[in-house]
Amino acid sequence: MEQRDRTLLEAKASVLKALGHPTRLWLAEQLADGEKCVCQLAESIDADISTVSKHLAILRIAGVVSVEKRGKQVYYRIKVPCILQYMPCIEAVIRAQAQEQIACLN
Amino acid sequence: MEQRDRTLLEAKASVLKALGHPTRLWLAEQLADGEKCVCQLAESIDADISTVSKHLAILRIAGVVSVEKRGKQVYYRIKVPCILQYMPCIEAVIRAQAQEQIACLN
DNA sequence: TGCACACATGGTAGAATAACCATATATGCG
DNA sequence: CGCATATATGGTTATTCTACCATGTGTGCA
């Protein structure tokens, strides 16, 4: 494989990896309908604010979200909204897997 | 968050996580145009066959690929093809990120 | 039956991850 | 200025991941 392809591959994997954590996926989904500040995100989740902040940093570095500081708050938003359109397909994968496991029991 | 939602969230994250590794993403892409056996996949990559086999097992457990044994070979194929349709969007994330980083240098 | 091939699985060491706590930084208000 | 609020960052520890090697299992052929 060429270096160029390998670099692109790693970049794509890192985006998927960033979304491949329950908390980060939840954060991304929370931002689906508009920007939110860290405090809004943190209050509805049972985790330390520093943990939420670090997860958001990972999403930011991966390019999934963008940041804007306004006053005391830092607002995050989805940068490329199409990634959320991916979820129905992901759910289809889960359904297919569940059906297969049920079939194994018969 | 309800338990049901949390379970679904974790399931979705695990699918994305499975794809969030360069080797596994490459394997999935190799299967885009039809099934391949482990030997075909392993010969074009610089990794131990056991490593490839374990990555394929992770993809299988996540529900991304399905398996069929025929003779001595084991053939893998993409189970829910839509998962590969989102790569252009993932690439868009990468481009947006790259452009932003260039802009930071100005 | 025995051997070679194709995979899978167990074991292990090193790297990466993730959660928390503590602390630093920046902002607005009194 | 001094203080409270909002985030980010550094440190630490436990867990998880990943790659390799070694070995086990199943299949077809001589």
Side-chain angles (χ1 to χ4, degrees):
Chain A
M1 185 161 23
E2 295 174 24
Q3 182 58 39
R4 176 191 163 80
D5 294 336
R6 166 152 292 280
T7 303
L8 178 59
L9 187 65
E10 286 173 359
K12 286 190 288 185
S14 71
V15 172
L16 291 164
K17 185 178 179 180
L19 290 169
H21 185 285
T23 301
R24 290 196 292 269
L25 184 56
W26 180 85
L27 288 167
E29 288 180 344
Q30 292 302 303
L31 299 176
D33 51 331
E35 65 175 22
K36 287 191 171 62
C37 68
V38 181
C39 53
Q40 288 174 293
L41 294 167
E43 77 178 3
S44 22
I45 197 177
D46 181 28
D48 200 276
I49 291 182
S50 72
T51 300
V52 174
S53 179
K54 281 183 180 174
H55 280 307
L56 287 166
I58 290 168
L59 288 171
R60 178 173 47 76
I61 291 166
V64 174
V65 301
S66 59
V67 169
E68 188 185 349
K69 183 165 187 175
R70 288 204 305 274
K72 275 195 294 188
Q73 281 96 358
V74 176
Y75 290 88
Y76 283 83
R77 81 188 58 167
I78 294 290
K79 203 169 168 186
V80 181
C82 59
I83 57 163
L84 293 168
Q85 295 168 10
Y86 203 172
M87 293 310 132
C89 171
I90 303 295
E91 288 167 17
V93 171
I94 295 163
R95 272 193 299 276
Q97 184 71 346
Q99 300 224 335
E100 184 174 301
Q101 284 172 1
I102 289 169
C104 285
L105 299 176
N106 297 337
Chain B
M1 186 164 18
E2 295 173 25
Q3 181 58 38
R4 177 191 162 80
D5 294 338
R6 165 153 293 281
T7 303
L8 178 59
L9 188 64
E10 286 174 359
K12 287 190 287 186
S14 70
V15 173
L16 291 164
K17 185 178 180 182
L19 291 169
H21 184 284
T23 300
R24 291 195 292 267
L25 184 56
W26 179 83
L27 288 168
E29 289 180 344
Q30 292 302 303
L31 299 176
D33 50 335
E35 65 176 19
K36 286 191 173 63
C37 67
V38 182
C39 54
Q40 288 175 294
L41 294 166
E43 77 178 2
S44 23
I45 196 178
D46 182 26
D48 200 276
I49 291 182
S50 71
T51 301
V52 174
S53 178
K54 281 184 181 173
H55 280 307
L56 287 166
I58 291 169
L59 289 171
R60 178 173 49 77
I61 292 167
V64 174
V65 300
S66 59
V67 170
E68 187 185 349
K69 184 166 186 175
R70 289 204 304 275
K72 274 198 294 187
Q73 279 96 2
V74 177
Y75 289 88
Y76 284 84
R77 78 188 59 165
I78 294 292
K79 202 167 167 186
V80 182
C82 60
I83 57 163
L84 292 170
Q85 291 172 6
Y86 290 86
M87 292 308 132
C89 171
I90 304 295
E91 289 168 17
V93 171
I94 295 161
R95 271 194 298 276
Q97 185 71 346
Q99 300 224 335
E100 185 174 298
Q101 285 171 0
I102 289 169
C104 284
L105 299 176
N106 297 336

